Amino acid sequence: MRVVTTTKTTAEGTTDSVAQRSPLGWLLAVVLLVVVALVASRLLHPMDDYTRAVLSLTGDEVRGRSIFVMNCVDCHGQWADGKVGPSLRNVSERLSPRRIVEQVVSGKTPPMPQFQPEPQEMADLLRYLNQL
Ligand code: HEC
């Protein structure tokens, strides 16, 4: 009996090496790296219950404004345009909601004091800051 062996042509090999060099591979590698970095940062900085509670609430801008007037204007100015502390105009474009919450409750950057607003108050404040 005759055995028919099929020999693969080099066409396939050529396709393979083109695929290896294609930018798609690099793109996939970069996407994978970003995903791994994001997962790692989530694991290293898990969102605490307080922040989670704040972010799940809907803030009220008017109440946020009055909380701001009572606690923040001495340093950030009547219209949040800066005094002892920096201007908070467009602060939501510079900092994530999570970072803003941390800034307010952590007390890590003296002279800014550590505030302890109720989650609803913090959500109101955040809403006010978001529209500055
Ligand atoms: C005693 C003064 C003082 C008071 C009161 C104060 N802050 Fe601040 N705040 C600062 C200073 C100073 C900084 C800059 C800290 C740094 O980065 O070193 C700052 C930074 C910030 C930032 C970060 C700004 C940025 O662009 O990085 C936010 C947001 C903020 N304050 C919000 C508030 C809110 C909301 C209140 C009221 C609940 C408040 N602060 C009350 C002094 C104050």
Side-chain angles (χ1 to χ4, degrees):
M1 192 168 55
R2 240 183 102 205
V3 181
V4 182
T5 48
T6 44
T7 44
K8 299 224 167 184
T9 56
T10 51
E12 216 173 302
T14 318
T15 325
D16 276 353
S17 58
V18 168
Q20 274 166 12
R21 265 185 261 132
S22 91
L24 199 68
W26 284 107
L27 196 72
L28 278 174
V30 169
V31 168
L32 202 72
L33 250 166
V34 169
V35 170
V36 167
L38 281 175
V39 170
S41 82
R42 271 293 142 90
L43 290 177
L44 291 173
H45 307 283
M47 202 189 289
D48 57 290
D49 292 345
Y50 176 80
T51 308
R52 202 184 313 255
V54 170
L55 298 186
S56 73
L57 295 167
T58 306
D60 179 303
E61 194 182 310
V62 176
R63 277 194 309 233
R65 166 75 191 159
S66 68
I67 295 168
F68 186 81
V69 168
M70 283 186 280
N71 299 282
C72 323
V73 291
D74 284 348
C75 293
H76 290 285
Q78 180 70 16
W79 297 107
D81 41 8
K83 219 166 146 188
V84 179
S87 164
L88 298 180
R89 298 254 163 213
N90 302 319
V91 68
S92 59
E93 285 166 25
R94 296 193 298 275
L95 303 177
S96 66
R98 220 174 134 176
R99 287 284 307 280
I100 296 180
V101 172
E102 198 197 345
Q103 173 72 39
V104 173
V105 303
S106 75
K108 277 187 195 154
T109 56
M112 179 158 156
Q114 178 174 25
F115 292 93
Q116 294 181 314
E118 290 297 317
Q120 183 61 59
E121 293 173 320
M122 188 63 235
D124 296 341
L125 205 46
L126 207 52
R127 181 66 185 265
Y128 172 70
L129 295 175
N130 278 345
Q131 53 80 56
L132 285 175

